[in-house]
Amino acid sequence: MRYFLCPGKTDMRKGMNSLCGVVQNHMGYDVRMGDCFIFINRTRTTMKILHAEDGGLVLYMKRLEEGTFRLPAYDKDSRSYPMNWSSLVMMVEGIQDDPNTRLKRLKAFRNHQ
């Protein structure tokens, strides 16, 4: 599976249909191919991932309460920020190049009873 981060800032009010239009018109891809398309807002605090799988489209969303998403380098050939699974996980979790450091993230409250 391939992972593409859309260049520029994305309006997070966009839903599935509008994001499909961004993938096709702005990035030059077809969302039905099964790739994951990642969108980040202007402040880099919200991320949406659009993915087509058997049976329909899936839209994931993550909003940070603390910290920001760190963006990878832009690739002019693909007109995107191509990523692999591990680089996506590192970006979502705030892991830096040094695995012992992380970007600031809010800890979820968990009830351990």
Side-chain angles (χ1 to χ4, degrees):
M1 186 176 300
R2 299 180 304 172
Y3 302 86
F4 297 100
L5 178 61
C6 180
K9 285 83 175 156
T10 302
D11 181 348
M12 287 296 133
R13 294 174 292 182
K14 292 183 183 288
M16 282 186 186
N17 293 333
S18 296
L19 292 174
C20 285
V22 170
V23 169
Q24 183 174 7
N25 300 327
H26 185 65
M27 299 176 70
Y29 292 99
D30 186 339
V31 73
R32 296 172 297 177
M33 297 303 292
D35 299 317
C36 286
F37 297 93
I38 304 148
F39 307 90
I40 304 287
N41 69 336
R42 179 184 52 81
T43 58
R44 295 186 297 135
T45 58
T46 304
M47 171 190 294
K48 286 187 177 182
I49 301 173
L50 181 63
H51 170 67
E53 58 182 37
D54 292 341
L57 292 174
V58 179
L59 183 64
Y60 301 95
M61 180 177 167
K62 181 166 186 171
R63 185 183 75 201
L64 299 177
E65 296 298 324
E66 292 187 33
T68 58
F69 293 109
R70 182 175 165 207
L71 305 180
Y74 181 73
D75 178 24
K76 293 179 185 177
D77 294 334
S78 67
R79 298 182 312 268
S80 180
Y81 300 81
M83 306 172 71
N84 57 28
W85 172 251
S86 62
S87 61
L88 174 61
V89 171
M90 288 176 63
M91 185 172 75
V92 170
E93 294 298 324
I95 300 170
Q96 300 288 326
D97 293 331
D98 175 5
N100 295 320
T101 62
R102 287 181 178 234
L103 294 172
K104 191 174 189 178
R105 296 289 188 264
L106 184 69
K107 300 290 186 212
F109 292 120
R110 303 230 192 292
N111 188 359
H112 298 285
Q113 292 181 2

